Amino acid sequence: MNKKLLGIIILISTLIFNSCKVANSINDYQKLKSIENTEDYGPLGNFLKTLHKTEEENVQSPYNELRNFITGRNQILSSNYKEGFETLARFLFTYPSSYYESESSYLLGQALIYMVKNDPLYIEQFYTQLLSEGIVEGEENNYDAVTNLNASLKNIYSQMGIIVKDGKYSFNGYIFDRILQDEESAFPLKDFAYYFSIRHRFSEIKNENDKEKFITNITYLKRFSDRYRTSVLQENILNNKSYFPDSIPFTLNDNENKNYQETIKTVQNRIDDIKALFEEEYYIIGNGIIIRDRIPAITQGTEKELYKLYNYDFVTVLNKTNVYNPKDKEREDWALVKYDTYYGPIIGWSYLKYMTNNIKGIEDIFENYKSAMNSYKNYDYLKSSDFFSYILNNPQTNYFTDKSVYFLWKVNNKIGELVSSKSNPYYKYVLDYPKYFYYNTNNNVLQSSTLLYNYLVKILPSNPYRFVISGDSEAEYSVD
């Protein structure tokens, strides 16, 4: 057994039960580890014993959903765009309402950029095959079936942003526009999605006939920079010599040249303003703390579009400033922060008073907590469980204790969703740590048990996460 996780069981048992029962509780836990051979472990044991030994790849289940998404994501990130296109196109076709829909769409958009340029005919071939799989056998030549297939293919192209005209394929980035328009999207990288949605409008400047294209490049660079003033992509676009060559092969008039020079100066100043003067690791001590990483869209004009940080997040502070707030008539400390995501950083200004770098004495805990959160956000629930458990195995409570309890509880809920056969890795986790789980017979769902809730109540009785956990679950929580 993992010694770190055994440690948390010992610690929790010590706090929940009185000292004379500790040994018996641990012994009982060890006996329950082989739950398959247990006849009387209630609904949880019954559920686990009735699972199939293996799971068919085409069965729609949370485990297959996550597995297929991760496969497609890894293919795209490894630049295997054709394989990634196949995997994610099928994924979105199979799981259109998936939690990973926005992320999959973002990745599929990157694959489409490649496919439209390098193998456009395969797009129609693959989607036609995908749609044909839904046609009843023997109806392939039926007129209505073919008509419906063509209509479905046209609808897919429209949703993806694929345009076919005179036998030539192009991509207008609409799949990225949908991410930008979706207020419920959990996918944070709005600047990347916005750039990819307008990427096709930037043109290569090759000869004296490309003056209008060059002016268009200036317009789109300015438009992007005005909206995302702290985006690292500004530098990538400005330094792209195919868009903005050192020597332009045509002459700009006075107004055109003035606009060009002013745009370059403005963008370069913004690039310089977000360069790191230092890099200091901080953690957030407030909730709903806004990162001002972009200008909200004029049509909506609300700050809820801006990215928010919570007291379980951590950032790298790149710069600091002190500004006067005329409304409150006082000066405020601000920090330029970098918040890392799986696909790249979000950079923006935020209130310094809601963050601190006071990790003296808990440096090891802080590093493990960062690893735990990174693993959790990367959907690596087994690894994140190890890190959170390591933090909870520390005998002294600290700033990250309650957050680790909360996220370990969330991890167990996620793992509970993914246990659908005896062959998947999450099944073994439940066998090893059965006290983390209970089987809800009301809705036939494997959920996180009250163990961590009770532990949190014992060590931090009035902690807000206690109410979050109890409010998010159908379990009946009690400290008795």
Side-chain angles (χ1 to χ4, degrees):
M1 173 184 292
N2 186 308
K3 292 181 179 179
K4 293 182 294 185
L5 287 173
L6 178 57
I8 186 179
I9 298 299
I10 297 173
L11 178 61
I12 292 173
S13 299
T14 302
L15 289 165
I16 295 178
F17 305 104
N18 61 48
S19 59
C20 67
K21 294 183 178 179
V22 171
N24 288 337
S25 297
I26 296 173
N27 288 336
D28 290 343
Y29 168 71
Q30 296 285 7
K31 292 176 183 177
L32 290 173
K33 191 174 178 183
S34 299
I35 202 167
E36 283 185 302
N37 300 321
T38 302
E39 299 296 331
D40 57 353
Y41 200 54
L44 173 61
N46 294 334
F47 166 71
L48 294 176
K49 286 186 288 187
T50 57
L51 289 173
H52 294 293
K53 288 186 177 181
T54 58
E55 188 166 7
E56 295 182 15
E57 289 190 6
N58 60 348
V59 171
Q60 292 189 33
S61 69
Y63 173 70
N64 277 339
E65 179 182 358
L66 177 59
R67 183 178 60 82
N68 289 330
F69 162 68
I70 293 294
T71 298
R73 184 188 68 179
N74 292 343
Q75 288 168 334
I76 297 297
L77 295 180
S78 300
S79 300
N80 296 320
Y81 293 110
K82 186 172 183 178
E83 294 84 351
F85 163 72
E86 294 174 348
T87 302
L88 292 175
R90 184 175 293 278
F91 174 84
L92 290 170
F93 193 80
T94 307
Y95 303 97
S97 301
S98 173
Y99 172 80
Y100 317 103
E101 190 274 335
S102 290
E103 200 168 345
S104 298
S105 296
Y106 170 77
L107 293 163
L108 181 60
Q110 293 187 55
L112 286 173
I113 291 172
Y114 171 86
M115 294 299 294
V116 165
K117 182 178 180 180
N118 295 281
D119 198 0
L121 296 180
Y122 185 71
I123 297 174
E124 181 172 342
Q125 178 184 336
F126 182 81
Y127 273 119
T128 299
Q129 175 60 34
L130 199 59
L131 291 166
S132 298
E133 292 172 5
I135 298 177
V136 178
E137 185 177 357
E139 292 187 353
E140 286 82 353
N141 297 320
N142 179 278
Y143 175 80
D144 291 336
V146 174
T147 301
N148 290 337
L149 189 150
N150 290 334
S152 297
L153 186 62
K154 184 177 180 180
N155 181 60
I156 288 174
Y157 282 6
S158 175
Q159 290 297 306
M160 297 295 104
I162 302 169
I163 300 171
V164 184
K165 186 176 181 180
D166 299 328
K168 294 184 177 180
Y169 284 70
S170 61
F171 175 63
N172 67 13
Y174 182 65
I175 193 170
F176 299 117
D177 287 335
R178 296 207 331 264
I179 298 174
L180 294 170
Q181 296 166 11
D182 183 7
E183 291 187 0
E184 301 300 319
S185 171
F187 192 63
L189 293 180
K190 303 297 184 183
D191 59 340
F192 281 77
Y194 181 75
Y195 169 66
F196 278 118
S197 73
I198 65 170
R199 179 178 173 176
H200 67 288
R201 299 172 193 175
F202 285 94
S203 302
E204 292 187 6
I205 306 305
K206 299 179 179 179
N207 54 54
E208 65 276 4
N209 298 319
D210 292 336
K211 180 177 178 178
E212 290 303 318
K213 294 180 180 179
F214 183 76
I215 292 173
T216 300
N217 287 351
I218 297 171
T219 299
Y220 280 108
L221 171 62
K222 185 176 187 302
R223 187 175 298 178
F224 179 88
S225 181
D226 285 346
R227 185 170 183 183
Y228 297 95
R229 298 181 183 184
T230 59
S231 173
V232 296
L233 291 180
Q234 294 175 102
E235 187 169 11
N236 295 339
I237 301 172
L238 180 61
N239 291 339
N240 188 324
K241 298 305 180 184
S242 65
Y243 300 159
F244 301 102
D246 293 328
S247 178
I248 54 178
F250 40 75
T251 302
L252 300 174
N253 64 36
D254 290 344
N255 287 334
E256 292 167 344
N257 186 60
K258 180 182 178 181
N259 179 52
Y260 172 49
Q261 296 300 331
E262 288 179 348
T263 299
I264 296 300
K265 182 179 180 180
T266 298
V267 175
Q268 187 60 57
N269 287 340
R270 290 171 180 170
I271 293 170
D272 293 338
D273 287 342
I274 64 172
K275 288 182 177 177
L277 296 184
F278 41 78
E279 293 192 2
E280 299 175 352
E281 296 295 323
Y282 279 63
Y283 57 92
I284 306 301
I285 54 175
N287 276 307
I289 310 306
I290 294 171
I291 298 184
R292 285 165 173 81
D293 62 322
R294 60 186 179 275
I295 306 302
I298 297 175
T299 54
Q300 297 177 3
T302 59
E303 285 204 334
K304 68 181 180 180
E305 290 184 63
L306 299 171
Y307 197 75
K308 293 181 179 179
L309 297 170
Y310 296 89
N311 66 8
Y312 44 75
D313 287 319
F314 47 90
V315 295
T316 302
V317 172
L318 307 177
N319 201 349
K320 300 174 186 176
T321 189
N322 182 271
V323 297
Y324 180 73
N325 184 337
K327 181 179 179 181
D328 297 331
K329 297 183 178 179
E330 61 182 22
R331 300 196 70 83
E332 298 171 332
D333 290 322
W334 285 73
L336 181 68
V337 301
K338 179 176 69 173
Y339 177 74
D340 287 320
T341 75
Y342 193 74
Y343 299 100
I346 295 173
I347 295 177
W349 288 94
S350 189
Y351 287 111
L352 185 59
K353 65 181 179 181
Y354 295 118
M355 53 191 75
T356 180
N357 62 349
N358 181 22
I359 58 174
K360 186 176 181 180
I362 58 169
E363 292 86 352
D364 180 56
I365 295 294
F366 181 63
E367 291 301 320
N368 277 277
Y369 175 76
K370 287 200 300 181
S371 297
M373 290 302 301
N374 285 333
S375 297
Y376 174 79
K377 292 175 180 178
N378 189 31
Y379 318 115
D380 192 342
Y381 300 121
L382 297 178
K383 185 179 292 185
S384 65
S385 172
D386 281 344
F387 286 119
F388 285 128
S389 297
Y390 177 84
I391 295 167
L392 295 178
N393 194 37
N394 189 293
Q396 301 296 324
T397 59
N398 57 72
Y399 181 80
F400 303 102
T401 299
D402 59 342
K403 296 149 193 66
S404 296
V405 170
Y406 172 62
F407 277 100
L408 183 55
W409 175 82
K410 292 189 75 171
V411 163
N412 291 337
N413 271 327
K414 284 292 185 182
I415 288 175
E417 294 176 11
L418 297 166
V419 178
S420 49
S421 74
K422 294 181 180 179
S423 62
N424 83 43
Y426 306 102
Y427 171 78
K428 183 179 183 302
Y429 178 90
V430 178
L431 288 185
D432 287 344
Y433 311 106
K435 285 194 174 183
Y436 277 162
F437 298 92
Y438 83 103
Y439 185 70
N440 190 331
T441 55
N442 293 326
N443 54 13
N444 298 321
V445 173
L446 184 61
Q447 295 177 299
S448 184
S449 72
T450 62
L451 185 67
L452 291 166
Y453 171 85
N454 285 331
Y455 170 57
L456 181 58
V457 170
K458 289 292 183 180
I459 60 171
L460 298 168
S462 60
N463 190 275
Y465 283 118
R466 165 190 175 182
F467 305 103
V468 174
I469 293 175
S470 61
D472 284 352
S473 175
E474 296 183 12
E476 293 183 4
Y477 286 87
S478 172
V479 295
D480 297 335

